[in-house]
Amino acid sequence: MRRITAMAVASAAVLALAACGSGNSGGGGGGGGGGGESTDVEVFTWWAAGSELTGLEALESVFAEQHPDFTFVNGAVAGGAGSAAKDLLQTRLQAGDPPDTFQAHAGAELQDYIDAAQIEDVSDLYDEFGLTDAFPQDLIDLLTVDGAIYSVPSNIHRSNVVWANPEVLEAAALDPAAPPADIDAWIEDLQTVQDSGVATPLSVAAPWTQVHLLETVLMADLGAEAYVGLWDGSTDWSGAEVTGALEHFETLIGFTNTDRDGLDWPDATQMVMDGTAAYNVMGDWAVAAFEEAEIERGTGFVEFPVPGTDGTFGFLADSFTLPVGAPNPEGATAWLETVGSLEGQVAFNQAKGSIPARTDADPADFSEYQQSAIESYANDTILPSLAHGAAAPIAVLNAITDAVSKYTAGGSDLATLQSELAAAAGS
Ligand code: GAL
């Protein structure tokens, strides 16, 4: 199954490439910059604040140690999941104004940049820095097209996690150590929490977090095989299984905070920290926020796989690229070396809540939660995340996000949502 899912994503990527048929612009080696001697390396991400910024800073300090001749310049653009950064990046790339390196998700999102000939083949760097055996083959496959590798992964995150406040659950006479088995059972618990007087049983934020919630409901209700089928065309978006999942989604949204659209993920997670919400579905960057707030796992928060997704790992990975025409390709190359290095991966992931993409990091260097994620990644079925670029190209994700956001804002009904999702996914 691990292989099936990786292959499904890879073959979707190949189809997209064939459809586009772009050539390589050949920029090669990046002499393209304007010849200045700047030591600046602009690193473009959306890790602009809070625990995400702390993670980036951890990587920055390893970079400063390993490459003192270069100067890290933070080009971060705020907005979780790249909700603002990706559009701005595209504008810059199209204007011929790339940063020196930018964050991109492994899988379909990276494929977009490859198709548009916006990033360089960095496979030579894999040889130079000894990275070829450092990463799991499944992951390398998601970074590779026609034998060329296009980025260096920094980490692997899990998307299908519920973060919960044990005190709020206990006050509703629910056992925090006994998570519900499926979405129906979870809905019963949400009702129980609501009946206990909690106004927001489930916190959610901006549209991308709503899509994030939806992807995990699809994983839970469709199961691994049919979920993967949504992305390779073998599952019908207009079918009854998807209708059932959307009905669940509708019920779940009914338990959420109505000010959701104006919030970003840290606000929704904060509601669980504060006990104003019982549950939040978020990727495991949330664990870094709990740790930063010194909230203890077990007593201050608990986490479990989204009900119905136990045994699966909702997968996404961040990676860094060498853009065509980067002003400082040597500096970018140095950054990629740090990103791929064991020292860089340990420092970054300890702060970020993710697990190292490298297979040679020592699990003992990471938190108990991260050790559980390492185990799940090793043993569970890997399912590509929609909201974080693994499953679908950016245009598909944007169209899905528009449809979901229109629906949750009251601008469409469930049947319209389903047909708009089908159209967005091209089925
Ligand atoms: C994801 C990214 C994570 C984290 C999250 C929230 O797309 O892969 O590293 O930053 O967004 O912003």
Side-chain angles (χ1 to χ4, degrees):
M1 178 47 84
R2 286 173 66 87
R3 222 178 280 142
I4 292 173
T5 55
M7 273 172 51
V9 172
S11 58
V14 169
L15 280 178
L17 181 68
C20 178
S22 62
N24 197 326
S25 76
E37 289 300 302
S38 173
T39 60
D40 287 357
V41 183
E42 188 198 354
V43 177
F44 185 100
T45 70
W46 53 87
W47 296 329
S51 54
E52 297 186 306
L53 176 59
T54 308
L56 181 60
E57 284 169 348
L59 201 48
E60 178 192 348
S61 47
V62 178
F63 181 63
E65 241 168 60
Q66 291 181 345
H67 298 285
D69 297 346
F70 290 110
T71 314
F72 171 92
V73 174
N74 190 346
V77 174
S83 44
K86 284 194 270 184
D87 283 350
L88 193 79
L89 174 65
Q90 203 43 248
T91 305
R92 286 187 58 179
L93 295 178
Q94 281 173 19
D97 174 33
D100 293 305
T101 180
F102 64 82
Q103 172 187 5
H105 288 122
E109 181 181 308
L110 189 73
Q111 181 72 43
D112 281 338
Y113 301 114
I114 300 170
D115 290 347
Q118 290 168 329
I119 50 178
E120 302 281 359
D121 169 9
V122 295
S123 27
D124 283 358
L125 302 183
Y126 273 65
D127 295 336
E128 193 180 330
F129 303 145
L131 298 179
T132 312
D133 298 323
F135 303 116
Q137 191 57 44
D138 281 3
L139 176 53
I140 295 217
D141 289 346
L142 294 175
L143 310 173
T144 303
V145 172
D146 290 340
I149 311 178
Y150 285 90
S151 66
V152 177
S154 50
N155 60 312
I156 293 168
H157 270 303
R158 186 177 193 186
S159 72
N160 58 324
V161 189
V162 179
W163 308 89
N165 183 312
E167 276 181 33
V168 174
L169 298 186
E170 274 159 9
L174 293 171
D175 179 359
D182 57 21
I183 303 276
D184 281 324
W186 191 26
I187 287 171
E188 279 176 33
D189 287 0
L190 283 157
Q191 188 61 56
T192 305
V193 167
Q194 191 168 61
D195 293 345
S196 78
V198 177
T200 304
L202 175 63
S203 62
V204 77
W208 75 263
T209 72
Q210 301 162 24
V211 173
H212 185 121
L213 174 65
L214 176 61
E215 91 178 27
T216 66
V217 175
L218 289 165
M219 288 173 185
D221 284 354
L222 272 62
E225 204 125 13
Y227 172 81
V228 170
L230 292 172
W231 313 116
D232 67 12
S234 62
T235 297
D236 181 7
W237 275 92
S238 306
E241 278 180 301
V242 173
T243 309
L246 294 181
E247 284 165 0
H248 272 156
F249 180 66
E250 173 177 48
T251 308
L252 292 175
I253 288 293
F255 286 109
T256 64
N257 43 307
T258 49
D259 63 350
R260 54 194 170 244
D261 283 353
L263 307 180
D264 204 348
W265 77 264
D267 309 306
T269 305
Q270 185 71 42
M271 291 175 75
V272 172
M273 294 183 187
D274 295 344
T276 53
Y279 305 101
N280 173 232
V281 172
M282 196 33 60
D284 57 8
W285 42 93
V287 80
F290 282 105
E291 278 163 12
E292 200 155 78
E294 294 182 12
I295 296 177
E296 293 274 309
R297 183 174 187 238
T299 49
F301 75 94
V302 293
E303 90 290 327
F304 49 86
V306 169
T309 70
D310 203 7
T312 66
F313 184 101
F315 162 91
L316 63 123
D318 296 299
S319 71
F320 283 88
T321 58
L322 176 56
V324 169
N328 184 354
E330 276 124 64
T333 298
W335 175 258
L336 296 181
E337 181 174 18
T338 295
V339 167
S341 70
L342 183 58
E343 201 190 344
Q345 298 237 330
V346 170
F348 173 64
N349 287 288
Q350 278 176 341
K352 187 67 166 58
S354 39
I355 61 176
R358 288 185 71 109
T359 52
D360 56 356
D362 182 353
D365 288 340
F366 295 89
S367 72
E368 272 178 30
Y369 167 75
Q370 287 166 307
Q371 292 179 24
S372 77
I374 290 171
E375 253 196 65
S376 168
Y377 180 67
N379 299 316
D380 290 349
T381 301
I382 307 298
L383 298 179
S385 165
L386 163 64
H388 307 281
I394 293 175
V396 171
L397 173 58
N398 286 346
I400 288 179
T401 308
D402 288 348
V404 167
S405 140
K406 182 169 142 193
Y407 169 74
T408 58
S412 65
D413 61 16
L414 216 57
T416 308
L417 171 61
Q418 185 162 9
S419 62
E420 288 185 354
L421 292 178
S427 66

